[in-house]
Amino acid sequence: MHDAINNKPVDSPEPRGLGRRHFINSAALAGLALGAAACAEKKGEAAAPAAASGATPAAGDHGANATHLKPGELDTYYGLWSGGHTGDMRVLGLPSGRELLRIPCFVPDALVGWGITNESKAIMGTRPDGSLRYTVADTHHTHASYKDGDYDGRYAWINDKINSRIARIRLDHFVCDKITQLPNVQGFHGIFPDKRDPVDPAINYTTRVFCGSEFGIPLPNTATEDHTQYRSMFSCVDAETMEVRWQVLLDGNCDLAATSYDGKLAATNQYNTENGARFEDMMSAERDACLFFNIARIEAAIKDGSFKTIGKSKVPVVDGTRAANKDPRTALTAYVSVPKNPHGVNASPDQKYFICAGKLSPTASVIELAKVLDWFDGKLEKIDDAVAAEVEIGLGPLHTAFDGRGNAYTTLFLDSQVVKWNVEKAIAFHKGDKNAKYVVDRIDVHYQPGHLNASQSETVNADGKWLAVGCKFSKDRYLPVGPLHAENEQIIDISGEKMVLKADHPVRGEPHDFIIFKRELLKPKQTYALDDFPNAIKDPKESGVFRQGRKVTVKVTSQAPTFSLREIKVKKGDEVTLILTNLDKIEDLTHGFAIPNYNVNFIVNPLETKSVTFIADEVGVFWCYCTHFCHALHLEMRSRLIVEA
Amino acid sequence: MHDAINNKPVDSPEPRGLGRRHFINSAALAGLALGAAACAEKKGEAAAPAAASGATPAAGDHGANATHLKPGELDTYYGLWSGGHTGDMRVLGLPSGRELLRIPCFVPDALVGWGITNESKAIMGTRPDGSLRYTVADTHHTHASYKDGDYDGRYAWINDKINSRIARIRLDHFVCDKITQLPNVQGFHGIFPDKRDPVDPAINYTTRVFCGSEFGIPLPNTATEDHTQYRSMFSCVDAETMEVRWQVLLDGNCDLAATSYDGKLAATNQYNTENGARFEDMMSAERDACLFFNIARIEAAIKDGSFKTIGKSKVPVVDGTRAANKDPRTALTAYVSVPKNPHGVNASPDQKYFICAGKLSPTASVIELAKVLDWFDGKLEKIDDAVAAEVEIGLGPLHTAFDGRGNAYTTLFLDSQVVKWNVEKAIAFHKGDKNAKYVVDRIDVHYQPGHLNASQSETVNADGKWLAVGCKFSKDRYLPVGPLHAENEQIIDISGEKMVLKADHPVRGEPHDFIIFKRELLKPKQTYALDDFPNAIKDPKESGVFRQGRKVTVKVTSQAPTFSLREIKVKKGDEVTLILTNLDKIEDLTHGFAIPNYNVNFIVNPLETKSVTFIADEVGVFWCYCTHFCHALHLEMRSRLIVEA
C-alpha cells in the first residue's frame, strides 16, 4: 500500500514478513531520485478500498471462475507468452496457467533438435562454417494475426531484441517457420501486426507487422562516438514473405507498438526523445512522445520513389523526423506529447483510443485516434489536442489491458499493483468533471508487475474474464531455489467489479508480453502429413545408405519399435546426411533419434521428416537410439551406426 | 480398464472419447506380439475394485491434502526432476506441481548464459576451437546425496545417456558445478549414489555414484560388426572429485541402478542378458537378471592390482563376468535371475529389499538383500534363493515407489495404471499363502506411465503422502498445441488406503526419474558471496578496459540502474574478455548483459561474477543492455561497446 498523500510507503497487510513492499520499492528505486514520479495526490479515485491481497484465500476456487481444473478438464483459453531471454515462445492453457508447450525459435532447443536439424538451421541462420549465427535471444512481445478485428489463428510473431530478429510461428503446427533479421537497427523491441489494410477494404486481415527499435545507432553503423548522430527506425515486415517492406527514420526512439483497427495508424511510445546515451539524459525531459505513423502515406511515398537506402541494405527508408513532417497534409508521422518516459501503448477494443502509460510519470494518456486522423487531414490544429485524457493512476504505470466494458487495467510497477480505471470517466475527469471517479479498483500483486493482459483484450471481442500479470520479482512467493528466483505470474478474475487474485504461477525468466484468447479460435493439426516435407521417405523400402563420392545420404523411417535400418555403415571422413521420416501415424507417437558422441538428437512427430548432416570423424560403433518414449520396447529401439576406418 | 480374466481391453469409464485406452494400448504394442506379457489371471488381488479415474472430480481439493495452493502459500516438498532430452534438471514444488527452476547442465541455456560464459563452458567441455563439445543430451535419472539414509542437501546427480556424461548439481546454489564423461561406455542410463561406505562406519554419507551403461560396444571402440563381442560396464564415480574410480566389465547390459542402505551392495537390472543387437534378440530369453556388485570386494581387488585398463583410459577395470565370478567367496558380482526384460530396480525404505519390475513380464521380483550377502559369504547355496517373491501385478510393470507403510507402488505401462501392493503379503503369497491379497489398489493414469516416485520414497523416512507419476502420452488431457504433445505428470494422494488422483500437470518432454523430499532438508543460499568468485570485481573503481597487446580485459560491475562503464572502447580484432560482477546485494535483484550481434547474453545474480570472451570482429556501436528486469529504469540501463576500425 502506498500513502497517496505523503508519498511514503506504509505497512501493507501482508501475511508474512513486515515491510517487504517497502523493501522492494527501495530496491526498484535504488540510486535514483524519482521526483517526477511522486503521485502527490490520487485524484479521481473511487471510494472503494484497495482489495486485500497476499495469501488471502481465493474464495471457493471451484466452478465457473476456478483456475484449478480437475484432472482431465481442459482450459478454455490459450495464452501465447514471450519467453524473454530464454528465447522461446510459450503456450499456456488459461485459466489454469499450465505451460503446454515451449516453441523454440531464436535459440536452440535440445528436445526437438532445433538448431541441430538442417531444416531448423536454415530457418535460424548460419555462419559460413555452418554453425549457428546466434544462440542467444531476448524475446519481448508476441501478437497474432487478425481478421475482422479478432485473431484468425494463422500466425503469431515474436521479437528478439538482442539481434533485432522477428520470428513467425505457424499456429496450425505451433512451430517457427521463418526468421528475419532487421537491417539498420538495434534493440528491436515493440512489435504489432496490422489489423486490416489502410486502403483496400477487401484486405480485412493482417498483411504487415510493425517493428520498433529502441537503440539509436550510427547509420550505417560505424564507431562514431557522438550519440546525437545516432538514429532509430520503425520497420514494416511483410506478414507472408517476412521480408522487410520499408523503414521510417525518426527522431527519438521506439519502445512498444500498437495498431488501429481500421489499418490506418500504427504508433510507438518514445521514452527517449532526448536521444540520450545515459539514463540521466534519457530522463531529462519532462515530456516524451507517442509517435504515430500514417501507413497509407508512407507506402504512397515509397511508391513515388521518395525514399533512400542505407549502407548495404536495399530496404526503402522514408523520412519520419519532425523537421520533415511539419505539414499535417503531407506528414508521414505525428508526434503526440505524453509525460516522461512512457512505457506501453495499447489499443482499446472499442477501436477509439491508444493508451500510453507514464512509467516515470504517474499518469496514463488517452489518445483519440479519430483526432489523430483529423490532424493528418488538416482538421485538427494541434496534434496534442488528440489527447483525450491525461490522468493520474499510480506509481510506475506500464502496460494496459481492457475488459470490453470500458475499463482499463494498468500495471503499476512501483506500487506493485494493478489499477482498474474507467476510460470514459477518465476523459470526463480530464475535461473538468472532478466528480468523475475513474479509478474503480486496485489490487496488490507480487511484486513489481511488468506486462499484463486480459482475455481477448487486444481484439474487438475483449471479454473481461481473466487477467494475467507478469511480476518481475517473486521474492518469497515460492520455495527458495538458490539465487535465481522464478518470476511470478498471477491470474486475476476480472469478471466482477472487484478484481480477485486467484493463483500464483512460477515461470522461467523472463516472460514479457502475452496474449490470451478463446480456444475456439485455433484449429491446430495434431499430426503432420507426409507431403508437408519434400524429402519425406514414404515407404520403409526406400530406406538405405546411398553414396556419391564422400557424400552419403542415409534414408531411414521409424515405426515403433524399430527404425527401418538396423545397421548404417559409413566410412571415416564421409559427409553423412541422415533423413528420418516417422511413419507412425498415431497422434502423440513421436520418436527421437540420437547418435552418441556425434552431438545429434532430434525428434520426429507423427509423419514428420527431418534431416541432419555431420562428418563421420570418429571410428567405431555408435548406437543410435530412440529418445522419445514410444512403446514398451522403446529401450530396445535402436540402430547401429558403424563408422569404418 | 482391463478385463483380467480374458485379457481383453474393455471400455473404461472415460468421460470423453470411447475406447481411447484400447487405442493407446494398441499403439504401444504396434508390431509386437507380447505373448509373455499376457496376464492370464490376476492372482493375489484384493477385492477392492479399481479406482475410477479420468475427469472424476478430485473431491474437496482444499485443506491438508490439497494440491492447489492459495496465492502465496508455499509447497511443502521439493521435487528434483530429470528433464529428458531437453537436457536439464527441473526443480518442482510439491504438491502443487509448479516448476520453480530449470537447472542447465548438459545443454546450453540462453537465459543464464550457460554455454556462453567462460565458467559454464569450462564445466560443459569444449572442442579445440573453443566451441561446445555437445549441445544435446538425454537426462534420465536423478538422485541426491545421502547421510544416515536420508538426503543431506549437498548434491544431486543426473545422467546424459547420449554422451555418457554425469553432472553434479550443488543444492545450495542449485547450479551444476561438474560434469564427467565416462570412458569405455555408451548409453549410460542408470545412476545411484551410495548411502554409506561398505567398510568404514564413520562414512555414513554418500562418497560414490554408480553408473550403469546400456549399450555394449567393442572395447576399445572399433568398427567391429560382431555384436557378440560388445560389452557393457558398470562405473563408479567419486562423489567429491567426480573422477571415475573404477569400472566393472560384465555380461549383458545395465539399465537402472539401486544401492543398499548399508553401503555394501549396488545393483542394476539387465534387460538384455542376450547381448542382442536387435529388439527381437534382446527379448528372446524368458529370463534376464538383476546384477549385484559387492563394492568392498571390487575396491579390494583394485587395491590389490587385480585390474586392467582399456585403450587410452586409465580407469581400473575389474572382471565382473559370470565366468570369473563363479565362487561366491571371491565373487565381485552376483547375477540374480528375474523374468524377461526387467525395467526398474528400487530399494525399499525398510532397507531389506530391492524390487525389480518385469516390463515384458507382468511380475515384480522381491530380492532380499540379506540373502544376497549370505550368498557372497557362502551361506546361501543358490543366488536365486535370494528372491523372496515373484508375483504378478499387471501389464508392463516398470518402476516402484514406497510409502513407508509396507506398500509398493508400481507403474504399469501397458495397463496405464499404478498398482499399490503390499510387499510382505506378496512374499507370503509367493511362499504359498494363496489367501494373501497383496494387491491393495489400482488407479488409472493418463496414459502409459513410466517413472513414478513418492515423497521421501528413496529414504528411510518414506512418508507415504504424495505420489507423482510421469505419463508418456498425454493425448487429449490438454488443449491441442500441434503435433508435439506435452507429457502428463499426475499427482496422486497416497495418504489413505485408496489412491486419489489430484491433478494433471503438462511438462515439456521428456521427464524421466525424479525424487520428492521435505523442504526442511534443503538450506539454499539466495545470494552469492563475492568471495565465491576468484575474478570478482569488488569495487566499481576497479572497473576499466585493460589492454595487453590484442588481449583486452573489460572489468565492469552492475548496480541498478547502471553498469559501471558507460562506454567500452576496443579495436577490431581484439580478443575481449569481459568480466561482470553484480554488486547488487538484494535477493532476486539479478541483471543481464547482452551485446547485440556478438551472441552474448548472460545473467549475474546478486554478488555473482561471470565472464565471456569474444573477438571484436565487427566495427560499430553496440548497445550492451540489461536483459533481466531490475528497476524502473531497466530499459535505460545500458553501456556502449564501441569497436573501432
Side-chain angles (χ1 to χ4, degrees), chain A residues 582-624:
Chain A
N582 182 8
L583 292 179
D584 276 318
K585 300 177 173 70
I586 295 170
E587 190 184 304
D588 210 6
L589 220 169
T590 294
H591 296 288
F593 193 87
I595 312 179
N597 299 30
Y598 274 97
N599 202 41
V600 168
N601 187 42
F602 61 96
I603 59 169
V604 276
N605 291 300
L607 301 178
E608 189 175 28
T609 299
K610 286 183 182 166
S611 69
V612 289
T613 298
F614 59 92
I615 304 295
D617 53 9
E618 193 179 342
V619 168
V621 173
F622 303 91
W623 284 101
C624 311

Short mmCIF file of all heavy atoms in Angstrom, two decimals, chain A residues 582-624:
data_model
loop_
_atom_site.label_atom_id
_atom_site.label_comp_id
_atom_site.label_asym_id
_atom_site.label_seq_id
_atom_site.Cartn_x
_atom_site.Cartn_y
_atom_site.Cartn_z
N ASN A 582 9.11 -40.23 -39.77
CA ASN A 582 8.34 -41.04 -38.82
C ASN A 582 7.05 -41.49 -39.50
O ASN A 582 6.16 -40.68 -39.76
CB ASN A 582 8.03 -40.21 -37.57
CG ASN A 582 7.26 -41.02 -36.53
OD1 ASN A 582 7.09 -42.23 -36.68
ND2 ASN A 582 6.80 -40.35 -35.49
N LEU A 583 6.97 -42.78 -39.79
CA LEU A 583 5.78 -43.32 -40.47
C LEU A 583 4.67 -43.68 -39.49
O LEU A 583 3.59 -44.10 -39.92
CB LEU A 583 6.17 -44.52 -41.33
CG LEU A 583 7.05 -44.19 -42.55
CD1 LEU A 583 7.41 -45.45 -43.33
CD2 LEU A 583 6.36 -43.18 -43.47
N ASP A 584 4.92 -43.56 -38.21
CA ASP A 584 3.81 -43.75 -37.27
C ASP A 584 2.82 -42.60 -37.43
O ASP A 584 3.19 -41.43 -37.37
CB ASP A 584 4.34 -43.83 -35.83
CG ASP A 584 4.82 -45.24 -35.47
OD1 ASP A 584 4.12 -46.21 -35.85
OD2 ASP A 584 5.89 -45.37 -34.85
N LYS A 585 1.57 -43.00 -37.64
CA LYS A 585 0.53 -42.01 -37.94
C LYS A 585 -0.23 -41.58 -36.69
O LYS A 585 -1.02 -40.64 -36.73
CB LYS A 585 -0.50 -42.61 -38.89
CG LYS A 585 0.00 -43.08 -40.22
CD LYS A 585 -1.15 -43.73 -41.00
CE LYS A 585 -0.77 -44.09 -42.41
NZ LYS A 585 0.19 -45.20 -42.50
N ILE A 586 -0.04 -42.31 -35.62
CA ILE A 586 -0.90 -42.12 -34.45
C ILE A 586 -0.49 -40.88 -33.68
O ILE A 586 0.69 -40.70 -33.34
CB ILE A 586 -0.82 -43.37 -33.54
CG1 ILE A 586 -1.40 -44.57 -34.27
CG2 ILE A 586 -1.56 -43.13 -32.23
CD1 ILE A 586 -1.15 -45.89 -33.58
N GLU A 587 -1.46 -40.03 -33.44
CA GLU A 587 -1.26 -38.80 -32.67
C GLU A 587 -0.44 -39.06 -31.41
O GLU A 587 -0.71 -40.03 -30.70
CB GLU A 587 -2.67 -38.33 -32.28
CG GLU A 587 -2.75 -36.98 -31.68
CD GLU A 587 -4.19 -36.71 -31.28
OE1 GLU A 587 -5.08 -36.80 -32.15
OE2 GLU A 587 -4.41 -36.43 -30.10
N ASP A 588 0.54 -38.23 -31.15
CA ASP A 588 1.35 -38.28 -29.94
C ASP A 588 2.44 -39.35 -30.02
O ASP A 588 3.22 -39.50 -29.09
CB ASP A 588 0.46 -38.53 -28.70
CG ASP A 588 1.02 -37.90 -27.42
OD1 ASP A 588 2.04 -37.19 -27.50
OD2 ASP A 588 0.45 -38.13 -26.35
N LEU A 589 2.52 -40.09 -31.14
CA LEU A 589 3.52 -41.16 -31.22
C LEU A 589 4.78 -40.63 -31.89
O LEU A 589 5.05 -40.85 -33.08
CB LEU A 589 2.96 -42.39 -31.95
CG LEU A 589 3.40 -43.71 -31.30
CD1 LEU A 589 2.64 -44.90 -31.86
CD2 LEU A 589 4.87 -43.94 -31.35
N THR A 590 5.54 -39.92 -31.10
CA THR A 590 6.77 -39.25 -31.55
C THR A 590 7.97 -40.16 -31.27
O THR A 590 7.98 -40.88 -30.28
CB THR A 590 6.89 -37.92 -30.80
OG1 THR A 590 5.82 -37.08 -31.21
CG2 THR A 590 8.22 -37.24 -31.04
N HIS A 591 8.96 -40.11 -32.15
CA HIS A 591 10.22 -40.80 -31.90
C HIS A 591 11.36 -39.79 -31.86
O HIS A 591 11.27 -38.70 -32.43
CB HIS A 591 10.53 -41.83 -33.00
CG HIS A 591 9.55 -42.95 -33.06
ND1 HIS A 591 9.50 -43.94 -32.12
CD2 HIS A 591 8.57 -43.23 -33.95
CE1 HIS A 591 8.54 -44.81 -32.43
NE2 HIS A 591 7.95 -44.40 -33.53
N GLY A 592 12.44 -40.19 -31.20
CA GLY A 592 13.66 -39.40 -31.22
C GLY A 592 14.76 -40.19 -31.90
O GLY A 592 14.65 -41.41 -32.07
N PHE A 593 15.81 -39.49 -32.30
CA PHE A 593 16.95 -40.16 -32.93
C PHE A 593 18.23 -39.51 -32.42
O PHE A 593 18.54 -38.36 -32.74
CB PHE A 593 16.86 -40.06 -34.46
CG PHE A 593 17.81 -40.99 -35.18
CD1 PHE A 593 17.42 -42.29 -35.47
CD2 PHE A 593 19.09 -40.57 -35.54
CE1 PHE A 593 18.29 -43.16 -36.13
CE2 PHE A 593 19.96 -41.44 -36.20
CZ PHE A 593 19.56 -42.73 -36.49
N ALA A 594 18.95 -40.26 -31.60
CA ALA A 594 20.20 -39.75 -31.02
C ALA A 594 21.37 -40.56 -31.55
O ALA A 594 21.26 -41.78 -31.72
CB ALA A 594 20.16 -39.85 -29.50
N ILE A 595 22.49 -39.88 -31.79
CA ILE A 595 23.74 -40.57 -32.12
C ILE A 595 24.78 -40.18 -31.07
O ILE A 595 25.19 -39.02 -31.00
CB ILE A 595 24.27 -40.21 -33.52
CG1 ILE A 595 23.17 -40.32 -34.57
CG2 ILE A 595 25.45 -41.12 -33.87
CD1 ILE A 595 23.64 -39.96 -35.99
N PRO A 596 25.19 -41.14 -30.24
CA PRO A 596 26.18 -40.82 -29.20
C PRO A 596 27.44 -40.21 -29.80
O PRO A 596 27.88 -40.60 -30.89
CB PRO A 596 26.47 -42.19 -28.56
CG PRO A 596 25.23 -42.97 -28.78
CD PRO A 596 24.72 -42.52 -30.13
N ASN A 597 28.03 -39.29 -29.07
CA ASN A 597 29.30 -38.63 -29.39
C ASN A 597 29.23 -37.73 -30.62
O ASN A 597 30.12 -36.92 -30.82
CB ASN A 597 30.45 -39.64 -29.59
CG ASN A 597 30.71 -40.46 -28.35
OD1 ASN A 597 29.81 -40.73 -27.55
ND2 ASN A 597 31.96 -40.87 -28.15
N TYR A 598 28.20 -37.86 -31.47
CA TYR A 598 28.11 -37.05 -32.69
C TYR A 598 27.24 -35.82 -32.52
O TYR A 598 26.96 -35.12 -33.49
CB TYR A 598 27.62 -37.91 -33.87
CG TYR A 598 28.78 -38.63 -34.55
CD1 TYR A 598 29.08 -39.94 -34.25
CD2 TYR A 598 29.58 -37.95 -35.46
CE1 TYR A 598 30.16 -40.58 -34.85
CE2 TYR A 598 30.65 -38.58 -36.07
CZ TYR A 598 30.93 -39.89 -35.76
OH TYR A 598 32.00 -40.50 -36.37
N ASN A 599 26.83 -35.54 -31.30
CA ASN A 599 26.02 -34.37 -31.00
C ASN A 599 24.76 -34.29 -31.87
O ASN A 599 24.38 -33.23 -32.36
CB ASN A 599 26.83 -33.07 -31.15
CG ASN A 599 26.21 -31.93 -30.35
OD1 ASN A 599 25.75 -32.15 -29.23
ND2 ASN A 599 26.14 -30.75 -30.92
N VAL A 600 24.14 -35.43 -32.05
CA VAL A 600 22.89 -35.48 -32.81
C VAL A 600 21.77 -35.97 -31.91
O VAL A 600 21.91 -37.01 -31.26
CB VAL A 600 23.00 -36.41 -34.04
CG1 VAL A 600 21.62 -36.69 -34.64
CG2 VAL A 600 23.93 -35.81 -35.08
N ASN A 601 20.72 -35.20 -31.81
CA ASN A 601 19.45 -35.68 -31.29
C ASN A 601 18.34 -34.79 -31.81
O ASN A 601 18.48 -33.57 -31.83
CB ASN A 601 19.40 -35.70 -29.76
CG ASN A 601 18.14 -36.39 -29.26
OD1 ASN A 601 17.75 -37.41 -29.80
ND2 ASN A 601 17.50 -35.83 -28.26
N PHE A 602 17.28 -35.41 -32.24
CA PHE A 602 16.10 -34.65 -32.67
C PHE A 602 14.91 -35.59 -32.60
O PHE A 602 15.07 -36.81 -32.51
CB PHE A 602 16.30 -34.10 -34.10
CG PHE A 602 16.51 -35.15 -35.16
CD1 PHE A 602 15.45 -35.61 -35.94
CD2 PHE A 602 17.77 -35.68 -35.39
CE1 PHE A 602 15.64 -36.58 -36.92
CE2 PHE A 602 17.98 -36.66 -36.36
CZ PHE A 602 16.91 -37.11 -37.13
N ILE A 603 13.72 -34.99 -32.63
CA ILE A 603 12.52 -35.83 -32.63
C ILE A 603 11.79 -35.67 -33.95
O ILE A 603 11.93 -34.67 -34.66
CB ILE A 603 11.57 -35.47 -31.47
CG1 ILE A 603 11.12 -34.01 -31.53
CG2 ILE A 603 12.21 -35.80 -30.13
CD1 ILE A 603 9.99 -33.69 -30.57
N VAL A 604 11.03 -36.70 -34.28
CA VAL A 604 10.12 -36.64 -35.43
C VAL A 604 8.72 -36.96 -34.92
O VAL A 604 8.47 -38.03 -34.37
CB VAL A 604 10.52 -37.61 -36.56
CG1 VAL A 604 11.57 -36.98 -37.46
CG2 VAL A 604 11.02 -38.95 -36.02
N ASN A 605 7.82 -36.01 -35.09
CA ASN A 605 6.43 -36.22 -34.72
C ASN A 605 5.76 -37.09 -35.77
O ASN A 605 6.34 -37.36 -36.83
CB ASN A 605 5.74 -34.87 -34.58
CG ASN A 605 6.26 -34.10 -33.38
OD1 ASN A 605 6.15 -34.56 -32.25
ND2 ASN A 605 6.84 -32.93 -33.63
N PRO A 606 4.54 -37.55 -35.52
CA PRO A 606 3.88 -38.43 -36.49
C PRO A 606 3.87 -37.82 -37.90
O PRO A 606 3.44 -36.69 -38.10
CB PRO A 606 2.46 -38.54 -35.93
CG PRO A 606 2.66 -38.43 -34.45
CD PRO A 606 3.76 -37.42 -34.28
N LEU A 607 4.43 -38.56 -38.84
CA LEU A 607 4.51 -38.23 -40.27
C LEU A 607 5.43 -37.05 -40.57
O LEU A 607 5.41 -36.49 -41.66
CB LEU A 607 3.12 -38.02 -40.87
CG LEU A 607 2.19 -39.24 -40.74
CD1 LEU A 607 0.82 -38.94 -41.32
CD2 LEU A 607 2.81 -40.46 -41.43
N GLU A 608 6.29 -36.70 -39.64
CA GLU A 608 7.24 -35.62 -39.85
C GLU A 608 8.55 -36.16 -40.43
O GLU A 608 8.92 -37.31 -40.18
CB GLU A 608 7.54 -34.90 -38.53
CG GLU A 608 8.35 -33.62 -38.69
CD GLU A 608 8.53 -32.86 -37.38
OE1 GLU A 608 8.53 -33.51 -36.31
OE2 GLU A 608 8.67 -31.64 -37.42
N THR A 609 9.25 -35.32 -41.19
CA THR A 609 10.57 -35.66 -41.73
C THR A 609 11.58 -34.60 -41.30
O THR A 609 11.28 -33.41 -41.36
CB THR A 609 10.53 -35.69 -43.27
OG1 THR A 609 9.61 -36.70 -43.69
CG2 THR A 609 11.90 -35.99 -43.86
N LYS A 610 12.74 -35.04 -40.83
CA LYS A 610 13.83 -34.12 -40.51
C LYS A 610 15.14 -34.72 -40.97
O LYS A 610 15.23 -35.94 -41.21
CB LYS A 610 13.89 -33.86 -39.01
CG LYS A 610 12.80 -32.97 -38.45
CD LYS A 610 13.01 -32.73 -36.98
CE LYS A 610 11.91 -31.89 -36.37
NZ LYS A 610 11.96 -31.95 -34.89
N SER A 611 16.16 -33.88 -41.09
CA SER A 611 17.47 -34.38 -41.51
C SER A 611 18.58 -33.69 -40.73
O SER A 611 18.40 -32.59 -40.21
CB SER A 611 17.67 -34.15 -43.01
OG SER A 611 17.80 -32.78 -43.29
N VAL A 612 19.71 -34.39 -40.65
CA VAL A 612 20.93 -33.82 -40.06
C VAL A 612 22.10 -34.16 -40.97
O VAL A 612 22.07 -35.16 -41.70
CB VAL A 612 21.22 -34.39 -38.65
CG1 VAL A 612 20.24 -33.88 -37.63
CG2 VAL A 612 21.25 -35.91 -38.66
N THR A 613 23.12 -33.31 -40.93
CA THR A 613 24.34 -33.57 -41.71
C THR A 613 25.54 -33.46 -40.78
O THR A 613 25.62 -32.53 -39.98
CB THR A 613 24.46 -32.54 -42.86
OG1 THR A 613 23.33 -32.70 -43.74
CG2 THR A 613 25.74 -32.76 -43.66
N PHE A 614 26.42 -34.44 -40.85
CA PHE A 614 27.60 -34.42 -39.99
C PHE A 614 28.75 -35.15 -40.70
O PHE A 614 28.53 -35.91 -41.64
CB PHE A 614 27.31 -35.08 -38.64
CG PHE A 614 26.86 -36.52 -38.72
CD1 PHE A 614 27.78 -37.56 -38.65
CD2 PHE A 614 25.51 -36.84 -38.89
CE1 PHE A 614 27.38 -38.89 -38.74
CE2 PHE A 614 25.10 -38.17 -38.98
CZ PHE A 614 26.03 -39.19 -38.90
N ILE A 615 29.96 -34.87 -40.25
CA ILE A 615 31.14 -35.57 -40.76
C ILE A 615 31.40 -36.77 -39.84
O ILE A 615 31.51 -36.60 -38.63
CB ILE A 615 32.38 -34.65 -40.78
CG1 ILE A 615 32.10 -33.37 -41.59
CG2 ILE A 615 33.60 -35.40 -41.33
CD1 ILE A 615 31.85 -33.60 -43.07
N ALA A 616 31.53 -37.94 -40.42
CA ALA A 616 31.78 -39.15 -39.63
C ALA A 616 33.27 -39.21 -39.28
O ALA A 616 34.06 -39.90 -39.93
CB ALA A 616 31.36 -40.39 -40.42
N ASP A 617 33.64 -38.45 -38.25
CA ASP A 617 35.08 -38.28 -37.98
C ASP A 617 35.60 -39.19 -36.86
O ASP A 617 36.77 -39.11 -36.50
CB ASP A 617 35.41 -36.81 -37.67
CG ASP A 617 34.53 -36.25 -36.57
OD1 ASP A 617 33.79 -37.02 -35.93
OD2 ASP A 617 34.58 -35.03 -36.36
N GLU A 618 34.76 -40.05 -36.31
CA GLU A 618 35.21 -40.93 -35.23
C GLU A 618 34.84 -42.37 -35.59
O GLU A 618 33.69 -42.67 -35.89
CB GLU A 618 34.53 -40.51 -33.92
CG GLU A 618 35.16 -41.13 -32.68
CD GLU A 618 34.47 -40.68 -31.39
OE1 GLU A 618 33.77 -39.66 -31.41
OE2 GLU A 618 34.63 -41.37 -30.37
N VAL A 619 35.84 -43.25 -35.57
CA VAL A 619 35.63 -44.65 -35.93
C VAL A 619 35.02 -45.41 -34.76
O VAL A 619 35.30 -45.11 -33.60
CB VAL A 619 36.99 -45.28 -36.32
CG1 VAL A 619 36.90 -46.81 -36.40
CG2 VAL A 619 37.48 -44.71 -37.64
N GLY A 620 34.16 -46.37 -35.07
CA GLY A 620 33.61 -47.22 -34.02
C GLY A 620 32.15 -47.53 -34.24
O GLY A 620 31.59 -47.26 -35.31
N VAL A 621 31.56 -48.13 -33.21
CA VAL A 621 30.12 -48.46 -33.23
C VAL A 621 29.40 -47.42 -32.39
O VAL A 621 29.80 -47.15 -31.25
CB VAL A 621 29.90 -49.86 -32.65
CG1 VAL A 621 28.40 -50.15 -32.51
CG2 VAL A 621 30.57 -50.91 -33.52
N PHE A 622 28.36 -46.83 -32.94
CA PHE A 622 27.58 -45.81 -32.23
C PHE A 622 26.11 -46.21 -32.27
O PHE A 622 25.52 -46.32 -33.34
CB PHE A 622 27.82 -44.43 -32.85
CG PHE A 622 29.27 -44.06 -32.84
CD1 PHE A 622 30.08 -44.37 -33.93
CD2 PHE A 622 29.85 -43.48 -31.72
CE1 PHE A 622 31.44 -44.07 -33.91
CE2 PHE A 622 31.21 -43.19 -31.70
CZ PHE A 622 32.01 -43.49 -32.79
N TRP A 623 25.56 -46.47 -31.10
CA TRP A 623 24.18 -46.94 -31.02
C TRP A 623 23.21 -45.77 -31.12
O TRP A 623 23.03 -45.02 -30.16
CB TRP A 623 23.95 -47.67 -29.70
CG TRP A 623 24.53 -49.05 -29.67
CD1 TRP A 623 25.70 -49.44 -29.09
CD2 TRP A 623 23.96 -50.23 -30.24
NE1 TRP A 623 25.90 -50.78 -29.26
CE2 TRP A 623 24.84 -51.30 -29.97
CE3 TRP A 623 22.79 -50.50 -30.97
CZ2 TRP A 623 24.59 -52.60 -30.37
CZ3 TRP A 623 22.55 -51.79 -31.38
CH2 TRP A 623 23.44 -52.83 -31.09
N CYS A 624 22.61 -45.63 -32.30
CA CYS A 624 21.55 -44.65 -32.47
C CYS A 624 20.31 -45.19 -31.77
O CYS A 624 19.96 -46.36 -31.94
CB CYS A 624 21.26 -44.44 -33.96
SG CYS A 624 22.75 -44.17 -34.93
#
